[in-house]
Amino acid sequence: MKIACIGAGYVGGPTMAMVALKCPEIEVVVVDINEERIKAWNSDKLPIYEPGLLEVVKECRGRNLFFSTDTKKHVGEADIIFVSVNTPTKTHGIGAGKAADLTYWEGAARLIASVSTSSKIVVEKSTVPVKTAEAIGKVLKRNCQDPNVNFEILSNPEFLAEGTAMEDLRCPDRVLIGGSETESGQKAVETLASVYAHWIPKERILTANLWSAELAKLTANAFLAQRISSINAISALCEATGADVQQVAHAIGTDSRIGNKFLNASVGFGGSCFQKDILNLCYVCESVGLKEVAEYWFQVVSMNDYQKQRFVERVIGAMFNTVSQKKIAIYGFAFKKDTGDTRETPAIDVCKGLIRDGARCCIFDPEVTAEQIFRDLSAPKFEWDRPNYSRSQTHMLENVQVVSDAVAAADGAHAICVLTEWDQFKTLDFKSMYEKMTKPAFIFDGRNILDHAKLREIGFIVYALGKPLDPFLVKGY
Ligand code: NAI
């Protein structure tokens, strides 16, 4: 059996590496139009940072795992084709700011149709709007020259989380495969299930109809993001009342109906998926006339925007309502720890908010390059997933400096904002950093990872998200 995967990104790369590792008799080729990305996959500096990924790639690469730009050859030869291309939010036209842009997906489908001389199983790995399989089926059928070629489309959404992708792939809570309820559809489901059965217990391989599988992915992301927005909403109330959001989260998390995972209040959720998929869910709801349902889910995104704005206002308010020309050290730019991914990271909105008020941001992140940070801060909303930005906001960059050391970032700064929960921030020598900062020295912990009592002892004015406010902050606000 030969497998090809179109799209060598955060999903295609790790997913196919795991398939190759667990199925040594299957040849797996990951193809992409991005030459630089493929070159990096064939080197020891992979294009994405994910703990444990390099080891797996090194074990399989050249054996039964290959990365190539020769899309036509490998897609033409494959029995199963995973499509794992980007599905960003539309930036213009009908549905702009909400609907999924399926240009890349359709491009992949047209490619498959044009090179197929034998029947194929086409697997939707990308997150797509419900009913995409129907549209893709039409594109495939109408563009393939050979009438004897049959395409069976499956929905196999990916539930991995960046930062823990390899563990999630090795031991997933479940794998979901949706197929059409025809005989050939069910046969295709069984074929794909047999690949996963190499390492995943049968009871964790769930099957469903196509539309349920497509919708399940959007729903899963909506529910996960909703939990974060829910606890973030409560964090605002905690600050207003003297309650402590971590105590509240612990108390509710012990209820088995609620559960204790994913209840950390923060400066906001980020990542390429949550916002995009909820907006897409809203768009789908609106399209079928479910205005109230769309409005309900849209609040999850609004609350996330509010949380980022609230953080910026807290920083500016605490610092005597002006950050003009003040140096602010930004700790962490990735949307979460253990990844270098900055797509929709809250750090973008927080930095832009501070810079708009005249602050000078000095940014440190252990995995994000200066080039990426400059790109992100000069790109308008929703443009990050496209190679050439049509418009850019270069004025944002005048007050941005990127450094390769957390201690240097704080040198002479008025404040430190912790925006990503990197473990290394917990063990910094804050006492000696305090000496070199402008007084009063502030720390705004947007992730609640630092030892706040110790920081206060050193002399810092500390803002901990969702926790009782320092008297200094209450008066100054
Ligand atoms: P990505 O942007 O990292 O990777 C997509 C790749 O597809 C890019 O390298 C691009 O060059 C390539 N591509 C686009 N059109 C192509 C074509 N016609 N032929 C060949 N290559 C093409 O995106 P990522 O993060 O891997 O996401 C892919 C999909 O998976 C999205 O729909 C996303 O919503 C979904 N997803 C992402 C997760 C994540 O944690 N990043 C988790 C679960 C699902």
Side-chain angles (χ1 to χ4, degrees), residues 225-422:
Q226 181 197 42
R227 259 175 99 85
I228 299 180
S229 277
S230 296
I231 199 69
N232 281 347
I234 297 300
S235 76
L237 187 56
C238 286
E239 287 169 29
T241 57
D244 179 325
V245 75
Q246 283 181 321
Q247 292 176 4
V248 174
H250 178 67
I252 64 167
T254 51
D255 185 327
S256 59
R257 292 168 303 176
I258 296 174
N260 61 7
K261 288 187 183 153
F262 237 60
L263 279 179
N264 285 333
S266 71
V267 61
F269 61 72
S272 66
C273 295
F274 283 176
Q275 173 172 287
K276 156 176 92 69
D277 294 345
I278 293 179
L279 291 174
N280 182 219
L281 182 69
C282 295
Y283 185 71
V284 171
C285 291
E286 280 169 8
S287 307
V288 294
L290 300 173
K291 187 170 145 277
E292 285 77 6
V293 182
E295 280 168 1
Y296 172 78
W297 285 109
F298 191 69
Q299 276 307 307
V300 174
V301 176
S302 300
M303 182 52 64
N304 198 47
D305 287 338
Y306 168 72
Q307 186 76 345
K308 291 181 273 189
Q309 182 60 24
R310 198 170 77 75
F311 187 86
V312 171
E313 285 171 14
R314 185 64 86 186
V315 173
I316 297 171
M319 295 170 76
F320 321 110
N321 285 318
T322 174
V323 287
S324 183
Q325 286 309 304
K326 289 180 180 170
K327 178 179 177 183
I328 299 183
I330 302 292
Y331 280 11
F333 200 80
F335 82 94
K336 66 196 273 199
K337 74 171 179 176
D338 292 337
T339 177
D341 195 353
T342 60
R343 295 178 292 180
E344 293 295 345
T345 176
I348 295 176
D349 285 341
V350 170
C351 288
K352 282 185 175 178
L354 294 173
I355 292 166
R356 263 187 228 111
D357 250 66
R360 292 184 292 120
C361 288
C362 187
I363 304 170
F364 166 71
D365 188 290
E367 282 299 330
V368 183
T369 61
E371 191 195 0
Q372 184 63 46
I373 292 173
F374 288 131
R375 241 169 95 89
D376 289 335
L377 291 177
S378 60
K381 210 169 167 58
F382 295 126
E383 290 283 3
W384 48 263
D385 217 3
R386 290 169 177 78
N388 299 311
Y389 303 139
S390 42
R391 293 158 290 138
S392 69
Q393 303 172 338
T394 40
H395 64 275
M396 273 288 160
L397 304 183
E398 284 159 18
N399 285 314
V400 178
Q401 192 192 353
V402 179
V403 293
S404 55
D405 164 19
V407 176
D411 199 353
H414 291 252
I416 296 170
C417 293
V418 179
L419 301 186
T420 313
E421 73 279 26
W422 286 103

Side-chain angles (χ1 to χ4, degrees), residues 421-438:
E421 73 279 26
W422 286 103
D423 289 335
Q424 60 178 263
F425 297 153
K426 295 179 194 168
T427 51
L428 288 168
D429 179 1
F430 283 101
K431 197 165 173 8
S432 64
M433 282 157 57
Y434 177 77
E435 305 301 331
K436 294 186 177 169
M437 287 178 67
T438 306

